[in-house]
Amino acid sequence: MPPEVSIYEVGPRDGLQNEATILSADRKIEMIEGLVDAGVKRIEVTSFVNPRWIPALADHMEVATRIRRKPGVTYSALVPNLRGLDAASRAGMQEIAVFMAASQTHNRKNINKTTEEALATYREVVTEARARGMTVRGYVSTVYGCPYEGEVPFEQVLRVGSSLLEMGCYELSLGDTIGVGTPRQVEYILDGLLHAGVRLDQLAVHFHDTRGTALANITVALQLGIRTVDSAIGGLGGCPYAPGASGNVSTEDVVYMLHGMGCRTGIDLDRLVAISARLGGHLARELPSKYLKAHLGHCARVGKPLA
């Protein structure tokens, strides 16, 4: 196992975008600042997308401009086009992310573009963002399977990923959008990308835990040399355009596992789970995080306050 792993927190954006209960800007800001205070160094705070498509993130400008920013922390936001980039730039974002699928049908459903059209759009966005001094992260979704097409050929993953790197993305986050990936698939995909010339430091993994394989998949990725893991506080998440997709792997589940294996994250697990517990109350539902459930049960048994 690596001595240190970077956690890329996606809860404020990917986690909240599909929630039935829409949190206020104040709650979102409290969440983001709490995560940073707990030790999170890389965090995606919102998405500058048209509110008609993602109503839960309609307050993107308010959230992005009001958060208290700490030195040494990377704050990012998803942008779909040049208009979104302009808004992110006005909000003072220093990093943005672009998002597309390895499968043609998911691109049509999610961003209303073919793969070729999406690549052309993002080439403009990435070029302009870098000209403004921003760094750009690239998401490749449906890497291990598509809700519409089923299995996605490796060649499509390589094509989309290589294109995003060539246009200037510094890192690729490889997404298991519907949570169908298995450890052997993870090994196959990562080995293929590495043999094709993609560097380890250009890769991150992003797993949804729909079928309970996320932690196993992360372990395999780490053994192959990956050092960046995306996760969402409480296991929040689910893609509006991927039927059946459940939440992201929980940040506290990942941190607990990593600390148990001797990997440093710089994150305070007690503070993390306290944020998760409060979020469950704000969203009026039980969050899927397994560590949270175990922690709440332990606190109830021993009479310990939840913090």
Side-chain angles (χ1 to χ4, degrees):
M1 287 292 107
E4 190 165 357
V5 175
S6 174
I7 297 294
Y8 201 105
E9 174 61 50
V10 299
R13 194 279 300 176
D14 193 15
L16 294 179
Q17 68 179 4
N18 204 37
E19 284 290 327
T21 300
I22 297 179
L23 293 186
S24 67
D26 286 343
R27 293 292 191 198
K28 291 173 184 172
I29 292 165
E30 175 189 318
M31 170 189 180
I32 293 163
E33 293 181 350
L35 287 164
V36 170
D37 288 342
V40 170
K41 296 294 185 186
R42 303 173 74 192
I43 185 165
E44 192 174 54
V45 297
T46 192
S47 174
F48 286 87
V49 67
N50 191 314
R52 291 200 308 271
W53 301 116
I54 308 290
L57 302 179
D59 54 4
H60 45 242
M61 184 62 75
E62 182 180 3
V63 169
T65 54
R66 284 183 53 203
I67 52 174
R68 168 176 46 87
R69 307 207 183 187
K70 270 191 172 182
V73 177
T74 299
Y75 299 87
S76 181
L78 192 73
V79 302
N81 48 37
L82 287 172
R83 181 179 295 179
L85 173 63
D86 285 339
S89 185
R90 292 197 305 274
M93 302 305 301
Q94 295 300 306
E95 176 169 305
I96 63 161
V98 294
F99 177 97
M100 64 179 294
S103 65
Q104 185 81 253
T105 309
H106 194 270
N107 280 325
R108 288 185 179 277
K109 297 279 188 179
N110 190 27
I111 54 179
N112 198 31
K113 296 180 187 296
T114 66
T115 298
E116 283 302 327
E117 289 168 342
L119 287 172
T121 295
Y122 290 143
R123 195 166 285 110
E124 292 181 344
V125 172
V126 174
T127 299
E128 179 61 25
R130 295 184 73 205
R132 298 183 188 190
M134 295 174 166
T135 55
V136 186
R137 192 176 199 238
Y139 285 102
V140 184
S141 65
T142 66
V143 167
Y144 302 95
C146 171
Y148 308 103
E149 297 179 13
E151 185 177 347
V152 176
F154 169 75
E155 290 73 22
Q156 291 177 209
V157 176
L158 178 61
R159 177 192 171 212
V160 170
S162 297
S163 297
L164 289 172
L165 289 173
E166 286 166 7
M167 66 180 70
C169 293
Y170 77 91
E171 183 174 72
L172 291 180
S173 175
L174 304 172
D176 185 10
T177 310
I178 53 174
V180 294
T182 63
R184 181 166 288 183
Q185 267 186 298
V186 173
E187 183 178 20
Y188 170 71
I189 294 290
L190 291 178
D191 274 345
L193 291 171
L194 294 171
H195 280 104
V198 180
R199 302 193 315 269
L200 272 173
D201 65 348
Q202 293 176 308
L203 295 173
V205 290
H206 182 121
F207 293 106
H208 287 235
D209 203 28
T210 314
R211 291 163 179 81
T213 57
L215 291 179
N217 291 339
I218 289 169
T219 301
V220 169
L222 294 174
Q223 289 172 331
L224 291 171
I226 298 299
R227 297 294 180 267
T228 300
V229 177
D230 292 6
S231 60
I233 185 74
L236 293 172
C239 177
Y241 303 99
S246 64
N248 294 276
V249 65
S250 156
T251 303
E252 53 268 37
D253 289 359
V254 175
V255 170
Y256 172 77
M257 182 184 78
L258 291 173
H259 289 182
M261 294 192 295
C263 304
R264 297 187 302 275
T265 64
I267 295 174
D268 185 322
L269 185 55
D270 288 338
R271 296 181 76 169
L272 200 64
V273 76
I275 296 167
S276 190
R278 288 196 296 273
L279 267 175
H282 297 332
L283 295 169
R285 74 177 185 92
E286 182 180 299
L287 300 185
S289 164
K290 295 174 179 62
Y291 184 84
L292 173 62
K293 292 175 184 176
H295 177 76
L296 293 175
H298 171 75
C299 290
R301 284 194 304 274
V302 302
K304 178 182 175 182
L306 299 180

